[in-house]
């Protein structure tokens, strides 16, 4: 696991955008995994800037989102499909038809989840998955207690997550849907490169557990310790509980520039 401690979110966005740009430059048909939430915003903004300057193009890229609320109406602004459209799709040159997400309005949830798994497999799997992390250590919407081998399925959101996400629903936790569809932890772990961003003191405990904790369903992101290619980009506040913070900082500073993300 590579841990990079940055000065600010703009720098984190630039580093993550570098990794995505390198991937797409090497393979214009790459498959990327998109995440919602505030953490990836700096990546999307930086990628939009580079697309505008003609540095990178998503014209042939396929994208799969991590998760979706169950039951939100088609035009609800917080439906994750609409969030991704607003935050990413409209800012870059990706074909909206190449952006896929689990169907939170499906009448047959199990079939929709199975179809989503099949679509990811048919696309050749995800080359690079962008991730945020919940304050309770969730990735996607895999809440504490999730099977570390899980596939795309329905989950019940915790009170903590509904309270964290209430800011998107007028501050009312009860307005946040109770259920979601999410790629499973096994699904996420199949992506070839995982790129996780986190910032702020509120994420410090989750980041500590992710990087240094025992691997446990209690902190689902801790399973990333078992993945061969993970990059964690965090600010100093999110790194504030890391015992190994100075080791990570020194290691990254000593890296030749061309080997940095
Ligand atoms: C949300 C999403 C996650 C996201 C996380 C953190 O509930 N389902 O994919 O990573 O919570 O969000 P944020 O980056 O806004 O803190």
């Amino acid at each position: 696991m590579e841990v990079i401690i940055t000065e600010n979110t703009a720098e984190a966005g630039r580093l993550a955008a570098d990794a995505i740009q390198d991937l797409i430059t090497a393979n214009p048909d790459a498959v990327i995994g998109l995440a919602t939430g505030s953490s990836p915003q700096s990546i999307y903004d930086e990628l939009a800037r580079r697309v505008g300057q003609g540095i990178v193009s998503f014209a042939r890229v396929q994208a799969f989102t991590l998760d979706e609320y169950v039951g939100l109406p088609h035009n609800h602004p917080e439906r994750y499909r609409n969030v991704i459209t607003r935050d990413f799709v409209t800012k870059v040159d990706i074909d909206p038809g190449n952006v896929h997400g689990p169907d939170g309005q499906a009448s047959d949830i199990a079939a929709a989840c199975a179809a989503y798994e099949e679509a990811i497999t048919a696309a050749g799997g995800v080359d690079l998955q962008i991730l945020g992390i919940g304050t309770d250590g969730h990735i996607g919407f895999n809440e504490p207690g999730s099977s570390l081998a899980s596939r795309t399925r329905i989950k019940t959101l915790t009170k903590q997550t509904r309270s964290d996400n209430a800011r998107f629903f007028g501050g009312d936790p009860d307005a946040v849907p109770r259920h979601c569809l999410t790629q499973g932890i096994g699904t996420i772990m199949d992506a070839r490169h995982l790129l996780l961003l986190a910032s702020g003191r509120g994420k410090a405990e989750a980041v500590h557990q992710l990087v240094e904790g025992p691997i446990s369903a209690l902190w689902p992101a801790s399973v990333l310790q078992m993945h061969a290619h993970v990059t964690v980009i965090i600010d100093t506040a999110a790194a504030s509980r890391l015992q190994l913070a100075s080791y990570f900082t020194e290691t990254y500073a000593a890296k030749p520039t061309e080997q940095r993300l």
Side-chain angles (χ1 to χ4, degrees):
M1 184 180 290
E2 179 168 42
V3 179
I4 303 171
I5 302 170
T6 60
E7 291 298 315
N8 54 54
T9 52
E11 189 191 351
R14 280 195 296 278
L15 291 170
D18 287 348
I20 295 166
Q21 181 183 321
D22 288 350
L23 170 72
I24 296 173
T25 303
N27 175 16
D29 299 303
V31 179
I32 60 169
L34 301 172
T36 47
S38 33
S39 303
Q41 293 306 315
S42 59
I43 311 177
Y44 300 152
D45 290 344
E46 178 62 17
L47 289 172
R49 195 184 66 74
R50 295 183 192 190
V51 167
Q53 292 183 346
I55 298 169
V56 65
S57 171
F58 289 78
R60 287 161 49 185
V61 167
Q62 297 274 335
F64 289 86
T65 61
L66 275 176
D67 45 18
E68 182 58 276
Y69 290 115
V70 167
L72 286 185
H74 198 70
N75 59 354
H76 194 290
E78 293 309 321
R79 187 175 159 242
Y80 275 173
R81 175 64 201 217
N82 296 334
V83 172
I84 282 292
T85 299
R86 195 166 63 231
D87 290 351
F88 180 71
V89 178
T90 54
K91 292 181 179 175
V92 298
D93 60 345
I94 196 166
D95 177 351
N98 284 351
V99 182
H100 315 277
D103 181 2
Q105 293 180 309
S107 50
D108 186 341
I109 294 279
C113 292
Y116 196 56
E117 288 280 335
E118 281 163 24
I120 295 172
T121 303
V126 173
D127 291 303
L128 183 151
Q129 175 66 57
I130 298 167
L131 293 170
I133 185 169
T135 57
D136 62 1
H138 72 225
I139 47 174
F141 265 140
N142 293 282
E143 298 284 32
S146 291
S147 159
L148 300 181
S150 49
R151 311 304 302 187
T152 303
R153 71 216 182 289
I154 189 166
K155 286 293 289 179
T156 303
L157 297 174
T158 59
K159 276 191 188 148
Q160 171 78 51
T161 296
R162 294 177 75 220
S163 159
D164 286 349
N165 288 4
R167 67 191 192 278
F168 300 115
F169 291 83
D172 178 10
D174 288 332
V176 180
R178 290 183 182 279
H179 297 103
C180 62
L181 304 186
T182 181
Q183 286 189 30
I185 295 177
T187 320
I188 293 168
M189 290 288 282
D190 283 347
R192 290 179 271 280
H193 182 191
L194 302 177
L195 188 55
L196 185 145
L197 267 72
S199 60
R201 190 163 286 272
K203 299 288 175 73
E205 176 66 16
V207 167
H208 163 60
Q209 296 290 343
L210 148 70
V211 178
E212 300 174 334
I215 295 170
S216 163
L218 194 55
W219 292 93
S222 62
V223 76
L224 267 54
Q225 293 173 35
M226 296 293 290
H227 194 286
H229 192 186
V230 179
T231 309
V232 174
I233 307 177
I234 50 180
D235 67 359
T236 46
S240 59
R241 289 225 47 223
L242 287 182
Q243 290 175 32
L244 297 173
S246 29
Y247 168 73
F248 292 131
T249 303
E250 287 157 20
T251 305
Y252 186 65
K255 262 193 163 183
T257 317
E258 66 277 8
Q259 284 176 26
R260 292 188 183 177
L261 250 182

